[in-house]
Amino acid sequence: MPDITTALKGCGECPIRHRAVCALCDPPELRELDAIKFYRSFPAGQTIVWAGDQMDFLASVVSGVASLMQTMEDGRTQMVGLLLPSDFLGRPGRGTAAYDVIATTDLVMCCFRKKPFEELMARTPHLSQRLLEMTLDELDAAREWLLLLGRKTAREKLASLLVIFARRDAALRLTRPESEFSFELPLTREAMSNYLGLTLETVSRQFSALKRDGVIRLEGKRRIVIPDFQALLAETGDDSDGGVPS
Amino acid sequence: MPDITTALKGCGECPIRHRAVCALCDPPELRELDAIKFYRSFPAGQTIVWAGDQMDFLASVVSGVASLMQTMEDGRTQMVGLLLPSDFLGRPGRGTAAYDVIATTDLVMCCFRKKPFEELMARTPHLSQRLLEMTLDELDAAREWLLLLGRKTAREKLASLLVIFARRDAALRLTRPESEFSFELPLTREAMSNYLGLTLETVSRQFSALKRDGVIRLEGKRRIVIPDFQALLAETGDDSDGGVPS
DNA sequence: CGCCCTTGTTGATCTCGATCAAGGAAACCG
DNA sequence: CGGTTTCCTTGATCGAGATCAACAAGGGCG
């Protein structure tokens, strides 16, 4: 609950921080969105919506991490969306959720009721253009993810995920990932295994291997230190120029 | 070259067929798009654009199949986009291609030069809304694909791909996939393996296994007969209600 | 027609990651 | 404070799919 206050403060105080908290609430749509937005927070582990449920709002992640999970009939699960701060949730023009949405950490979202949001969309070309841009970014991210799942080894997969975290973290701090860079892992080993298409045991073993080889250090179980970001990048198997040159 | 003529005829003659050939050329944008559209065709195997190349047009697939390919530094490749008739290629607001685009079969595309298309987008809210819808569909497809790559067995992967083909084929014929349904495979074993994150040997073995078990029959190497569509669906591992109930 | 070249099938073997199993460490709580 | 739970690590073994290799079937073309 204190998180909500923080988020609201962030929204009103500093344009830069604001940009980080709600990717949509930017001029000139800002004023109109303000009228219909509200904040919700969820504790870690809570399911926000179940696949197939009615979903009467759209939202943007303010702080924390949410994930979209897909389940097969025999119970196998795969993460199909990882929503970090500023990412968007929901599909305009659709009434029900296609995937389970889970708060992976404590989570605050900036929500918009579906009806007024869609009316605003119809009146505001800028809004759907912005949404198109964000969706295209998400599609690009999904395509990187396809390569990861289809062709990368377990070690490359984990290194790639750590790079994603490092870049997001650096973006929030308005720096670049530098030598001796450290951050908090926002996911459990199990959640990471669901992202990577592995078992949690394999994820754990790859952590140990990267640690053994000096690519990372662990402070406790959740804080990661990256002594040399380039060395980590080299472990991803990606083309040297691949991805966003964040 | 005769293909172009066919496509142009299709565009002018029958609204239903037209919808199938170019998903964008629909009223009321139709007239304005008509002015800037042109057709290009490519022989099977030809690379249309290389990743990183300048890309000064956007396009919609009229007939044939194109694929987006991503390559790792050591040569491993993964298909990250499969463009069937009516699918869209290109990203408004970006100058260079992010992936190799390859004509997997003989291909006809309806192209729009980037500049005029983007000007039209700015003037025509409907157009970016339509594009948003198509991009969201593609994102949903990518998320199904993530589940496939991350968690499905080789057999389930192949069955899932065959279902995708069957549904697309049925949609073009304006029927549903019924018992004793047959169609032409638009991809080589190698292209399928690049879609599925497998080797071509494994794909071939799974074809043999599905054939042995009576789930499919092969007429030659390219024509597939599905005696019982439900039986094929059961092999995908998906929730019974999963995906589009096409 | 015979040759090459692409595409697909099948077999033998190997390996990476899954599975099964045990135990450790930190947080939570009565 | 001990007991439970959650999260993580490590070991032993197994198996699905990769890899290496040989061959078959067309199809285009001189």
Side-chain angles (χ1 to χ4, degrees):
Chain A
M1 297 302 161
D3 276 346
I4 290 184
T5 323
T6 318
L8 282 164
K9 274 189 189 151
C11 253
E13 275 168 9
C14 163
I16 292 173
R17 172 152 171 71
H18 175 77
R19 187 181 191 99
V21 292
C22 178
L24 278 178
C25 300
D26 255 351
E29 297 85 284
L30 175 63
R31 288 108 207 169
E32 293 227 53
L33 280 173
D34 270 345
I36 60 168
K37 83 181 177 193
F38 57 100
Y39 290 83
R40 290 183 67 185
S41 63
F42 305 88
Q46 181 166 329
T47 298
I48 297 170
V49 256
W50 296 95
D53 275 7
Q54 192 69 20
M55 184 154 163
D56 50 358
F57 66 96
L58 305 155
S60 170
V61 175
V62 173
S63 69
V65 180
S67 46
L68 309 185
M69 298 295 307
Q70 200 156 20
T71 305
M72 294 175 67
E73 51 180 1
D74 63 357
R76 279 172 284 173
T77 59
Q78 172 67 47
M79 194 187 292
V80 297
L82 178 64
L83 305 182
L84 303 176
S86 93
D87 284 336
F88 189 76
L89 168 67
R91 170 158 183 169
R94 174 191 284 165
T96 59
Y99 316 97
D100 298 332
V101 182
I102 295 173
T104 301
T105 65
D106 287 339
L107 182 70
V108 179
M109 294 202 301
C110 175
C111 305
F112 314 94
R113 277 181 303 122
K114 201 165 163 353
K115 201 68 172 298
F117 187 88
E118 281 169 358
E119 284 164 11
L120 185 58
M121 262 186 73
R123 273 183 289 125
T124 318
H126 264 338
L127 185 51
S128 52
Q129 280 159 19
R130 175 84 188 98
L131 230 38
L132 175 59
E133 215 175 296
M134 291 175 73
T135 307
L136 285 165
D137 283 341
E138 214 173 332
L139 190 55
D140 276 343
R143 285 177 168 153
E144 284 291 322
W145 201 346
L146 291 174
L147 175 66
L148 178 148
L149 288 176
R151 298 302 186 193
K152 288 188 177 180
T153 64
R155 184 183 176 99
E156 289 167 341
K157 284 178 174 181
L158 181 55
S160 303
L161 183 57
L162 294 180
V163 166
I164 291 172
F165 290 147
R167 288 209 165 118
R168 282 283 186 146
D169 214 75
L172 282 184
R173 297 193 235 160
L174 303 174
T175 62
R176 340 181 119 235
E178 287 155 348
S179 301
E180 197 66 25
F181 182 86
S182 95
F183 60 93
E184 207 71 22
L185 286 172
L187 265 55
T188 64
R189 302 287 185 268
E190 188 186 25
M192 288 188 258
S193 76
N194 278 327
Y195 182 103
L196 300 172
L198 298 169
T199 60
L200 69 90
E201 292 95 326
T202 298
V203 172
S204 183
R205 276 185 243 277
Q206 295 306 325
F207 263 110
S208 303
L210 288 175
K211 199 170 59 178
R212 169 175 47 73
D213 299 343
V215 181
I216 62 173
R217 274 181 290 137
L218 282 172
E219 296 181 347
K221 292 173 193 307
R222 284 305 190 85
R223 175 153 282 270
I224 286 277
V225 182
I226 299 168
D228 177 359
F229 190 71
Q230 291 303 317
L232 179 62
L233 267 183
E235 294 288 348
T236 64
D238 287 331
D239 264 338
S240 28
D241 59 342
V244 189
S246 116
Chain B
M1 297 299 160
D3 276 348
I4 290 185
T5 323
T6 318
L8 282 165
K9 274 190 189 153
C11 255
E13 276 169 8
C14 163
I16 292 170
R17 174 155 171 67
H18 173 78
R19 184 178 193 103
V21 293
C22 178
L24 278 179
C25 300
D26 254 351
E29 298 87 283
L30 175 63
R31 289 110 207 169
E32 294 227 53
L33 280 173
D34 270 344
I36 60 168
K37 83 181 178 194
F38 58 100
Y39 290 83
R40 290 182 68 185
S41 64
F42 305 87
Q46 182 166 330
T47 298
I48 298 170
V49 253
W50 295 96
D53 276 8
Q54 191 69 20
M55 183 154 163
D56 50 357
F57 66 96
L58 304 155
S60 170
V61 175
V62 173
S63 69
V65 179
S67 45
L68 309 185
M69 298 296 307
Q70 200 157 21
T71 305
M72 295 174 66
E73 50 180 3
D74 63 359
R76 280 172 282 173
T77 60
Q78 172 68 46
M79 194 187 293
V80 296
L82 179 63
L83 305 182
L84 301 175
S86 92
D87 284 336
F88 189 76
L89 169 67
R91 169 156 185 172
R94 174 192 283 165
T96 59
Y99 315 98
D100 298 332
V101 183
I102 295 173
T104 301
T105 65
D106 287 339
L107 181 71
V108 180
M109 293 202 302
C110 175
C111 304
F112 314 93
R113 278 179 302 121
K114 202 164 165 344
K115 201 65 173 298
F117 187 88
E118 281 170 358
E119 284 164 11
L120 186 58
M121 263 186 73
R123 273 182 290 124
T124 319
H126 264 338
L127 185 51
S128 53
Q129 280 159 19
R130 175 85 188 99
L131 230 40
L132 174 59
E133 215 175 296
M134 291 175 72
T135 307
L136 284 165
D137 283 341
E138 216 173 331
L139 189 56
D140 276 343
R143 286 176 167 155
E144 283 291 323
W145 201 346
L146 292 173
L147 175 65
L148 179 148
L149 288 176
R151 298 301 185 192
K152 288 189 178 181
T153 64
R155 185 184 176 100
E156 288 167 342
K157 284 178 174 182
L158 181 55
S160 302
L161 182 56
L162 294 180
V163 167
I164 290 172
F165 289 147
R167 288 209 165 116
R168 282 283 185 147
D169 214 75
L172 282 184
R173 296 193 234 160
L174 303 173
T175 62
R176 340 182 118 234
E178 286 154 349
S179 301
E180 197 65 25
F181 182 86
S182 96
F183 60 93
E184 208 72 22
L185 286 172
L187 267 56
T188 64
R189 302 287 185 269
E190 189 187 25
M192 287 187 261
S193 75
N194 277 329
Y195 182 103
L196 299 172
L198 298 169
T199 60
L200 69 90
E201 293 96 324
T202 298
V203 172
S204 184
R205 276 184 242 277
Q206 295 305 326
F207 263 110
S208 302
L210 288 174
K211 198 168 62 179
R212 169 175 48 73
D213 299 342
V215 181
I216 61 172
R217 274 180 290 136
L218 283 172
E219 295 181 350
K221 291 174 191 310
R222 285 303 191 89
R223 174 153 284 268
I224 286 277
V225 184
I226 298 167
D228 178 0
F229 190 71
Q230 290 304 318
L232 179 62
L233 267 183
E235 294 288 348
T236 64
D238 287 330
D239 263 338
S240 28
D241 60 342
V244 189
S246 118

